[in-house]
Amino acid sequence: MVQRFDVNERFADGVQYIAGELRDGSSGQTQQVVDPATGNQVYRYRPASAADVDAAVAAAERAFPAWAGATPGERSDALHRFAAVLGERAGELAYAESLQCGKPAKLSEEFDVPGSVDNAAFFAGAARHLEGRSAGEYSAGHTSVIRREPIGVVGSIAPWNYPLQMAAWKVLPAIAAGNTIVLKPAEITPLTSVMFAQAATEAGIPDGVLNIVSGAGREAGEHLVAHPGVAMTSFTGSTAVGKRVAEIATSTVKRLHLELGGKAPFVVFDDADLEAAVHGAVAGALINTGQDCTAATRAYVQRPLYDAFVGGVADLMATVRLGDPFDPATDLGPLISHTQRDRVAGFVERARSYATVVTGGEAPQGDLAKGAYYRPTLITGAAQDSEVVQREIFGPVLAVLPFDSDDEGIALANDTPYGLAASAWSRDVYRTGRATREIKAGCVWVNDHIPILSEMPHGGYRASGFGKDMSAYSFEEYTQVKHVMYDNTGTVAKDWHRTVFGDRA
């Protein structure tokens, strides 16, 4: 259950968290945190400047030697305590997440917060398993050993759609591997990222290991990516901004991890369980009001099931309840802002000229008119090359297109620049097996869409970026692999020396 608190009292000192202390930013500007369900300001703060980023990076640099030098068991113990503190703060975290994002409390309580606590528990165990290949004599007279070592200070940038979970995904593998981190959350949703860092301090993770700078991307974010003290950049957000991040990071030869946009296909073959597919499509399209890069956004339905699928989705969407995020009966909250609501509405309005809006396609009136609400929307008749099929809308909008052959369905699924997630629906194991092999996406679900696990990696192909969040695979992003080779012979004049000077002995 959400646990309310006074946000202005809790963050009276600001939302920059540097070396274990809250402070205000020094940019000289102000930034609002707005409840998107009402349009009302819930908090106002001074964002981070370049100087604040410098201070945070310096704190992370100071903390790095001791944290990197801690044993895996010591880091594991600290992360176990961290998971416990997060669990104790679950109600407050759920409240803050719903307040700043507008997401229904049941989503925060049952998905965002427990998922983040579970991530912390997973990486507490994974911290003890930073393993390389076994030692061996791969060359006569030498023993080779593989070491995994932390990279240094990581500068991470997280989006506004899942502020708490994205903080967890960025921070936990990085610090479990012995790195220190400066995280910049989206400036409109900083609250739970700061609470996450405070919980780390309460758990005994040393000051400076985890720092938060809350500020605008062009000032704080770009300075963080370009900072010479930052050894790696991890970014989650749109593909367009990801390209800019990559330009800055590569100019300083940083390690780079990108989790970018998506346009997930939802492929329904003609032997699928129709009712299950309908329910899966509505849930997969509307999670977090569609503001999810893995959301089901384009359904391809084999022609024998097409009409029934469209009718079923339209009927089920009509039952979805919009309302106050803190009302237990609410299914769908507002979009993150009126600006985002208007962007989504623009896609739908333009689609009316070339497609059919079957249901939704409007903002509600009455008591919800002050919020950034938009009704669940189903579109049919759009061409494959239309913008509602090709571009990321990031709202509660599902486009449905028919297909005939299996070859066509898989080809259509792959026909966007993205490749983050997808799903295939069929009772035939051979059909779904082919789909999982041939659909170009970092995750392909079979007869479901959306579930994620701490033990399994998350990351995309193509314009959806590269690198993995969660799972032991994430350590590949946050560690350096070092080969150490020992001479076992004690021989002064080695045979290979003759390739440089002298003759064979």
Side-chain angles (χ1 to χ4, degrees):
M1 180 177 292
V2 297
Q3 185 175 343
R4 297 174 184 262
F5 61 90
D6 187 321
V7 170
N8 289 286
E9 180 179 333
R10 175 70 62 86
F11 299 108
D13 294 326
V15 285
Q16 316 303 327
Y17 195 72
I18 300 172
E21 294 184 352
L22 276 178
R23 63 172 76 173
D24 211 355
S26 60
S27 68
Q29 302 171 354
T30 58
Q31 173 67 50
Q32 288 182 311
V33 177
V34 174
D35 176 359
T38 63
N40 295 334
Q41 175 185 298
V42 297
Y43 181 68
R44 191 178 188 91
Y45 70 96
R46 287 204 302 168
S49 67
D52 298 315
V53 174
D54 290 343
V57 173
E61 288 179 314
R62 290 192 300 271
F64 176 71
W67 184 248
T71 66
E74 289 169 338
R75 291 198 294 268
S76 176
D77 288 347
L79 287 167
H80 277 298
R81 295 193 300 270
F82 189 13
V85 174
L86 290 171
E88 293 166 2
R89 302 285 179 270
E92 291 185 340
L93 288 165
Y95 171 68
E97 194 76 339
S98 287
L99 184 67
Q100 67 182 353
C101 298
K103 61 183 65 187
K106 65 181 181 181
L107 182 63
S108 294
E109 291 174 324
E110 299 177 28
F111 185 75
D112 297 63
V113 174
S116 300
V117 174
D118 186 69
N119 285 169
F122 171 79
F123 281 107
R128 290 180 177 266
H129 296 283
L130 282 168
E131 298 174 348
R133 294 184 180 180
S134 61
E137 287 66 52
Y138 300 96
S139 165
H142 299 88
T143 296
S144 288
V145 176
I146 297 295
R147 291 175 55 89
R148 280 195 178 272
E149 297 179 347
I151 296 169
V153 176
V154 178
S156 291
I157 300 175
W160 46 255
N161 57 336
Y162 291 102
L164 178 62
Q165 284 201 320
M166 294 301 99
W169 287 16
K170 298 297 184 195
V171 169
L172 293 167
I175 66 174
N179 302 283
T180 56
I181 189 166
V182 178
L183 172 71
K184 192 201 86 65
E187 63 269 28
I188 58 176
T189 56
L191 303 181
T192 47
S193 297
V194 176
M195 294 169 69
F196 187 79
Q198 289 176 309
T201 298
E202 186 175 341
I205 292 175
D207 294 346
V209 170
L210 169 53
N211 308 275
I212 306 293
V213 289
S214 303
R218 290 194 178 274
E219 185 170 4
E222 292 198 4
H223 189 68
L224 178 62
V225 175
H227 200 290
V230 171
M232 173 183 168
T233 292
S234 177
F235 171 80
T236 295
S238 71
T239 299
V241 178
K243 291 177 181 178
R244 174 61 179 159
V245 169
E247 289 172 359
I248 300 171
T250 53
S251 69
T252 54
V253 199
K254 286 179 169 60
R255 177 78 69 88
L256 185 60
H257 168 229
L258 298 174
E259 197 265 88
L260 306 177
K263 191 69 179 174
F266 187 101
V267 183
V268 182
F269 295 99
D270 58 13
D271 66 336
D273 182 324
L274 177 64
E275 186 177 8
V278 166
H279 279 76
V282 173
L286 301 185
I287 186 169
N288 203 32
T289 318
Q291 299 168 126
D292 187 309
C293 49
T294 64
T297 58
R298 49 193 179 105
Y300 297 102
V301 184
Q302 207 151 24
R303 209 169 293 274
L305 294 185
Y306 178 80
D307 290 338
F309 180 88
V310 169
V313 168
D315 290 345
L316 191 54
M317 278 187 171
T319 70
V320 173
R321 301 163 295 186
L322 283 66
D324 177 356
F326 295 103
D327 183 341
T330 293
D331 297 320
L332 197 72
L335 290 150
I336 190 66
S337 67
H338 287 83
T339 299
Q340 179 65 12
R341 191 271 312 273
D342 293 345
R343 178 181 180 274
V344 170
F347 276 98
V348 176
E349 290 309 307
R350 291 190 296 274
R352 293 184 191 277
S353 68
Y354 58 79
T356 300
V357 178
V358 177
T359 189
E362 62 181 6
Q365 301 303 308
D367 292 342
L368 300 182
K370 291 182 180 180
Y373 290 89
Y374 198 77
R375 294 196 185 282
T377 300
L378 177 64
I379 295 175
T380 61
Q384 175 66 15
D385 62 355
S386 63
E387 68 170 0
V388 294
V389 176
Q390 291 293 320
R391 293 182 59 192
E392 188 173 36
I393 298 173
F394 229 54
V397 179
L398 175 65
V400 184
L401 291 80
F403 70 92
D404 292 303
S405 69
D406 289 17
D407 288 348
E408 182 189 12
I410 292 173
L412 290 170
N414 285 330
D415 185 28
T416 72
Y418 300 103
L420 186 59
S423 62
W425 298 73
S426 171
R427 291 184 173 94
D428 186 330
V429 66
Y430 299 105
R431 267 181 154 174
T432 57
R434 179 190 176 191
T436 62
R437 291 191 303 273
E438 297 186 11
I439 291 176
K440 296 179 176 65
C443 174
V444 182
W445 292 284
V446 176
N447 294 326
D448 207 344
H449 195 106
I450 287 296
I452 55 174
L453 299 166
S454 296
E455 292 85 355
M456 292 292 112
H458 176 86
Y461 289 18
R462 302 187 293 175
S464 292
F466 48 82
K468 299 301 179 185
D469 290 309
M470 301 193 294
S471 83
Y473 291 97
S474 64
F475 286 134
E476 296 177 5
E477 315 301 324
Y478 294 100
T479 56
Q480 300 274 19
V481 175
K482 178 186 286 184
H483 171 215
V484 179
M485 179 179 270
Y486 297 90
D487 171 56
N488 292 333
T489 67
T491 302
V492 173
K494 296 180 171 59
D495 187 57
W496 72 267
H497 292 177
R498 69 184 178 82
T499 63
V500 181
F501 61 89
D503 299 318
R504 186 186 297 274

